[in-house]
Amino acid sequence: QLQEARAVRSQCVIVTENYEAQRKRWPPAGRHITALYTDDAILVYQAYNREIAKYAVEHKKFQGCEHFSPERMTWIKTNFLWMMYRSGWGGKRNQECTLGIWLKRSAFDQYISWASTKGGSRFADGTNLVRLQWDPDHTPSGTKINLRRDIQLGLKRVTGFVSGEDIIDIQDLTEFVATRDYSNYENLLSPREEIYRVTDEKTVRSLRLSPPDGPWESDTTGEDDDEDRQADEGKCNNNNNNNNNNNNNNNNNNNNNSNNDGEEGLVEGVTTTRRKVSRKQQRRQQRQ
């Protein structure tokens, strides 16, 4: 078993590819899970502060880290550029360290089968709460791609994740992130991500996944990220009142940002509708 585990871990290598080449390959619209994955593992990302990141990389788990609480929802992403957008390429407070967390594919598939957009845990003891969100994809510079959405999962009291049972490896990608020139699209190398194909039809319907090979429908529902409302990413847990107040302020600011993102998507739809109405009115006036 130990040799088998080592063999699986040895396959957890981050393969990169030119961003522009990947962009041409990805679907232009719809709901998709884009990820770097192997036969046994899938790479997800999370950004934490230095204390949590150091512990996780050393121990390959989060259980036992005094700064990490399983009672707070932590959001993992399969999409590298979405993680970069959220963390500001590692420039945001408490998100300085980017971790690449290689999950067992069987565990990830279990997570998405548990996922829901609202409500509590499906388990009587309240464990394994997985929250699903579809958010606009982003370019390296942070521009939203409103027609295409990618997945992120909020995990709370997910025992296999916290204990490390579901984790094959945890890699510190902080230096990798720091050396990316995200302003140079033509030469930017990012993790090579493909459409993750979900084989369970019930999960496909539950997630409302778009067909990997099309046809694709544009998704402009206005569902945007509320991820940082919970202020879960990278935050140390302590009882210091000043820190709590700062976290609350950060939550409010992030709420405003998330709400603004949602409004932007809706406004675009409203504006388009108004333009159509305006054109119809113009045609009627011309006929008259």
Side-chain angles (χ1 to χ4, degrees):
Q1 289 183 348
L2 182 60
Q3 290 181 342
E4 183 179 348
R6 287 176 176 172
V8 172
R9 183 174 292 181
S10 68
Q11 298 175 14
C12 296
V13 178
I14 296 182
V15 179
T16 60
E17 185 182 10
N18 177 271
Y19 164 73
E20 286 290 352
Q22 296 191 74
R23 182 184 63 80
K24 294 174 183 177
R25 188 176 67 248
W26 292 331
R31 294 184 176 206
H32 306 276
I33 301 175
T34 55
L36 172 59
Y37 59 94
T38 68
D39 291 341
D40 302 298
I42 181 171
L43 182 61
V44 300
Y45 306 96
Q46 179 56 297
Y48 292 106
N49 60 32
R50 292 180 177 85
E51 290 84 0
I52 295 177
K54 181 180 179 182
Y55 182 94
V57 172
E58 290 179 356
H59 297 86
K60 310 303 178 187
K61 64 179 182 178
F62 296 92
Q63 191 173 49
C65 178
E66 62 177 332
H67 301 292
F68 182 90
S69 172
E71 296 300 315
R72 305 183 71 173
M73 189 164 279
T74 185
W75 292 85
I76 59 174
K77 299 99 177 148
T78 62
N79 184 302
F80 176 75
L81 290 179
W82 210 101
M83 181 71 260
M84 294 302 97
Y85 165 75
R86 174 51 61 191
S87 69
W89 288 85
K92 291 185 180 180
R93 182 175 177 269
N94 284 318
Q95 298 184 56
E96 300 91 349
C97 300
T98 303
L99 297 185
I101 305 170
W102 288 93
L103 293 174
K104 297 175 182 177
R105 280 187 61 175
S106 58
F108 180 80
D109 290 343
Q110 186 72 78
Y111 293 175
I112 59 177
S113 73
W114 291 338
S116 62
T117 56
K118 57 184 178 181
S121 171
R122 299 185 181 185
F123 296 84
D125 60 1
T127 60
N128 298 318
L129 172 59
V130 181
R131 186 63 48 79
L132 162 72
Q133 282 188 186
W134 289 105
D135 300 289
D137 206 344
H138 291 79
T139 66
S141 60
T143 302
K144 280 197 297 186
I145 305 173
N146 276 319
L147 299 183
R148 186 175 69 235
R149 298 197 172 238
D150 217 306
I151 199 172
Q152 65 169 329
L153 299 174
L155 309 182
K156 185 175 183 180
R157 295 189 295 271
V158 177
T159 53
F161 181 81
V162 176
S163 68
E165 182 181 351
D166 295 343
I167 296 173
I168 298 173
D169 196 13
I170 300 180
Q171 301 170 351
D172 188 348
L173 305 184
T174 306
E175 185 176 352
F176 174 86
V177 170
T179 57
R180 303 300 98 181
D181 182 2
Y182 57 85
S183 64
N184 188 345
Y185 286 19
E186 292 184 357
N187 296 317
L188 175 64
L189 294 177
S190 60
R192 189 180 194 276
E193 295 174 351
E194 304 279 359
I195 300 301
Y196 186 79
R197 295 174 182 265
V198 179
T199 57
D200 183 72
E201 289 300 322
K202 183 178 179 181
T203 303
V204 170
R205 291 192 300 269
S206 175
L207 299 181
R208 292 189 292 155
L209 280 167
S210 300
D213 303 315
W216 303 298
E217 294 182 3
S218 302
D219 188 341
T220 55
T221 59
E223 292 180 28
D224 258 1
D225 57 282
D226 67 350
E227 146 182 26
D228 274 1
R229 294 182 210 177
Q230 297 88 353
D232 298 312
E233 297 198 349
K235 298 291 192 302
C236 293
N237 297 318
N238 57 61
N239 296 320
N240 184 281
N241 289 332
N242 290 332
N243 286 342
N244 286 339
N245 290 335
N246 288 336
N247 286 340
N248 289 335
N249 290 335
N250 288 337
N251 290 347
N252 292 333
N253 290 335
N254 287 327
N255 279 341
N256 291 336
N257 290 336
S258 296
N259 291 336
N260 288 340
D261 284 346
E263 289 169 5
E264 182 177 335
L266 292 173
V267 168
E268 287 184 357
V270 170
T271 302
T272 303
T273 303
R274 286 176 181 169
R275 285 175 182 168
K276 288 180 180 178
V277 171
S278 177
R279 287 169 184 166
K280 287 182 180 178
Q281 290 175 343
Q282 289 177 358
R283 292 192 192 103
R284 288 172 184 169
Q285 290 175 357
Q286 289 174 356
R287 289 170 185 169
Q288 293 174 354

